[in-house]
Amino acid sequence: MTYKAPFTKWLELDSGKFKDPALIQTRHLSDLKGLFSDSEAETSLLKDNPLIYEVYLAYDGDFQEGQLGYSTTLIYPGKVGNEYFFTKGHYHAKGDRAELYYCIKGEGYLLMQTPEGEVNAQHMTAGAGAYVPPYWGHRTVNTGKDVFVFLAVYPADAGYDYGSIAEKGFASILVENNGKTELVENPKYRA
Ligand code: M6P
Ligand code: ZN
């Protein structure tokens, strides 16, 4: 038996970035093309192609069953039309894998849905530990004025299914309406 060596990764709490990440993923608007409900607003903002979010992956081991992956996500503040910036969102390829999101700073929502379209939205500010149960698709949304940062911990073999979200979208979206955040039906959702 060979044992994986224990290790520590340090998170800079001010920035939300791991000091020595295994990988940094950057997602610009062009990577999320077609996901926002207001297609016109999306097309016009594509000229600037803003950075929407970054993922700092801390875990740099293998993705075998039993291991845990962990990362921070930094979603920048902003909107496409009246819809707040969000992550692509995914189901786990191994659907029965759960995940934990712990908010470090900022404000936002963990938006979840079942394959049948049932929706759940958990409000997150610093200190919130929100649970994604098995089989729920999940996306995070920055509804605040500053960067929204959270730590995610998940079974390393969970994997990603982005296809269902790309095809159907999310059943609900978070928009600003008269200065207030509202959860409304997504006109582009294909049930
Ligand atoms: C969290 C975790 C990651 C995920 C990231 C961005 O950090 O859930 O596994 O990759 O958010 O979300 P997405 O992959 O949907 O773009
Ligand atoms: Zn996940």
Side-chain angles (χ1 to χ4, degrees):
M1 177 84 178
T2 47
Y3 296 98
K4 180 168 176 61
F7 66 96
T8 298
K9 290 276 182 167
W10 288 91
L11 180 64
E12 293 172 346
L13 288 170
D14 285 346
S15 68
K17 299 175 178 178
F18 276 103
K19 279 180 190 151
D20 182 25
L23 184 74
I24 303 171
Q25 292 175 327
T26 54
R27 298 280 182 251
H28 290 82
L29 183 59
S30 54
D31 301 305
L32 281 77
K33 218 169 155 187
L35 294 181
F36 287 94
S37 65
D38 185 339
S39 308
E40 258 177 52
E42 187 185 280
T43 305
S44 98
L45 201 59
L46 267 171
K47 288 175 205 114
D48 300 333
N49 199 19
L51 176 63
I52 310 280
Y53 64 100
E54 293 177 283
V55 181
Y56 280 71
L57 194 77
Y59 176 69
D60 56 6
D62 62 66
F63 294 88
Q64 298 305 305
E65 183 174 357
Q67 306 281 15
L68 291 173
Y70 64 114
S71 52
T72 53
T73 302
L74 292 72
I75 310 179
Y76 293 97
K79 283 176 291 171
V80 177
N82 64 357
E83 188 175 10
Y84 295 101
F85 283 3
F86 54 53
T87 57
K88 277 189 190 181
H90 59 271
Y91 289 88
H92 289 153
K94 290 190 177 167
D96 63 354
R97 295 332 195 227
E99 185 161 358
L100 180 78
Y101 279 5
Y102 179 78
C103 182
I104 289 159
K105 64 192 292 187
E107 181 187 355
Y109 281 83
L110 166 59
L111 194 58
M112 291 171 276
Q113 70 181 22
T114 64
E116 289 77 25
E118 183 184 338
V119 171
N120 187 286
Q122 299 291 318
H123 187 226
M124 295 180 75
T125 57
Y131 188 71
V132 182
Y135 302 110
W136 287 79
H138 40 289
R139 159 181 287 170
T140 37
V141 187
N142 184 349
T143 55
K145 296 202 171 0
D146 304 309
V147 63
F148 172 41
V149 181
F150 61 90
L151 171 77
V153 185
Y154 48 93
D157 67 340
Y160 297 90
D161 166 15
Y162 291 108
S164 312
I165 307 287
E167 271 169 39
K168 294 185 178 183
F170 254 78
S172 297
I173 56 174
L174 280 153
V175 297
E176 188 184 75
N177 192 4
N178 292 324
K180 281 199 206 145
T181 299
E182 283 183 1
L183 183 70
V184 298
E185 275 182 30
N186 181 0
K188 278 171 89 178
Y189 179 62
R190 293 173 293 272

